[in-house]
């Protein structure tokens, strides 16, 4: 099932990018926030201001407005957050793609879907306001998760509410709302929500990696960045 689903994702073209569609793809650049990036050695990446300064430097260097990347990156970004480090198996492998850009930037639905659930996940290091959409494309049911949103994004939304491809779903939150991160969208594809609502792990440990690689395939299979 998993391999055929990945092929299905690849076939879903063209797909709209999940960030304000007034920003052209030429204004996107890749960013490396992995623990292998030597440029991060002397940067306190867990501090939102320091993280933002590094993101700004990458955007400026590339004359870009959006920095993206992060699928299966092993990161130090979570090392100060007890919910990621309190267990023996430290969670530090990222399961979605992040889009780092300005707070209040509009988030767009890349494909048609309906609201499965939403929630404000307020634990430090979590998503803050989060929306999960359910998609049924030719009988293939799966989910997309949008994390680190603004509070206004979940103020008037309803379970079952439908969003057409290219609709404005939400806006990005500020660090005080998205639970201590520089502003960005966490976008993740999920095959089986395992009964969860309004939340799903976006970071896993090495011991969990094989399962999550299958259950949360690379969003770029769909987005084709």
């Amino acid at each position: 099932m998993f391999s055929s689903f990945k092929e299905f994702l690849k076939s879903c073209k063209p797909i709209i990018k999940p960030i304000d569609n007034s920003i052209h793809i030429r204004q996107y650049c890749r960013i490396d926030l992995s623990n292998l990036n030597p440029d991060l050695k002397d940067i306190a990446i867990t501090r939102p201001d320091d993280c933002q300064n590094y993101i700004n430097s990458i955007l400026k260097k590339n004359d870009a407005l959006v920095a993206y990347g992060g699928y299966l990156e092993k990161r130090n970004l979570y090392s100060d957050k007890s919910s990621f480090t309190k267990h023996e198996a430290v969670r530090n492998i990222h399961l979605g793609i992040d889009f780092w850009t300005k707070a209040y930037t509009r988030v767009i639905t890349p494909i048609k879907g309906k609201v499965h659930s939403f929630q404000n996940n307020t634990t430090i290091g979590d998503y803050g306001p989060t929306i999960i959409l359910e998609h049924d494309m030719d009988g293939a049911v799966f989910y997309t998760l949008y994390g680190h949103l603004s509070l206004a994004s979940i103020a008037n939304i309803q379970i079952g509410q439908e969003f057409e491809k290219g609709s404005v779903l939400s806006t990005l939150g500020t660090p005080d709302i998205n639970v201590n991160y520089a502003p960005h969208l966490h976008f993740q594809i999920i095959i089986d929500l395992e009964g969860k609502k309004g939340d799903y792990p976006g970071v896993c440990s090495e011991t969990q990696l094989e399962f999550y690689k299958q259950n949360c395939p690379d969003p770029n299979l769909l987005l084709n960045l």
Side-chain angles (χ1 to χ4, degrees), residues 22-120:
S22 69
I23 302 176
H24 196 278
I25 191 64
R26 288 192 299 267
Q27 295 171 294
Y28 282 55
C29 68
R30 290 193 59 85
I31 190 169
D32 179 3
L33 293 178
S34 75
N35 57 6
L36 299 177
N37 183 352
D39 293 340
L40 299 180
K41 182 180 178 182
D42 298 317
I43 295 175
I45 200 67
T46 58
R47 296 171 50 126
D49 289 346
D50 290 15
C51 183
Q52 186 66 67
N53 288 338
Y54 178 70
I55 293 163
N56 290 343
S57 73
I58 297 298
L59 292 173
K60 183 176 180 180
K61 178 181 178 181
N62 291 278
D63 192 24
L65 295 177
V66 179
Y68 73 93
Y71 181 66
L72 300 189
E73 268 186 357
K74 186 177 285 188
R75 295 172 165 179
N76 293 327
L77 187 59
Y78 319 109
S79 60
D80 67 331
K81 300 167 179 68
S82 62
S83 60
F84 291 80
T85 59
K86 65 184 178 182
H87 302 295
E88 201 170 299
V90 173
R91 294 192 299 130
N92 58 5
I93 301 173
H94 190 251
L95 298 171
I97 289 181
D98 285 335
F99 295 85
W100 304 87
T101 189
K102 292 180 179 179
Y104 307 115
T105 297
R106 295 184 300 175
V107 175
I108 308 299
T109 51
I111 50 178
K112 180 180 179 180
K114 64 181 180 180
V115 177
H116 170 273
S117 51
F118 59 92
Q119 184 169 288
N120 189 6

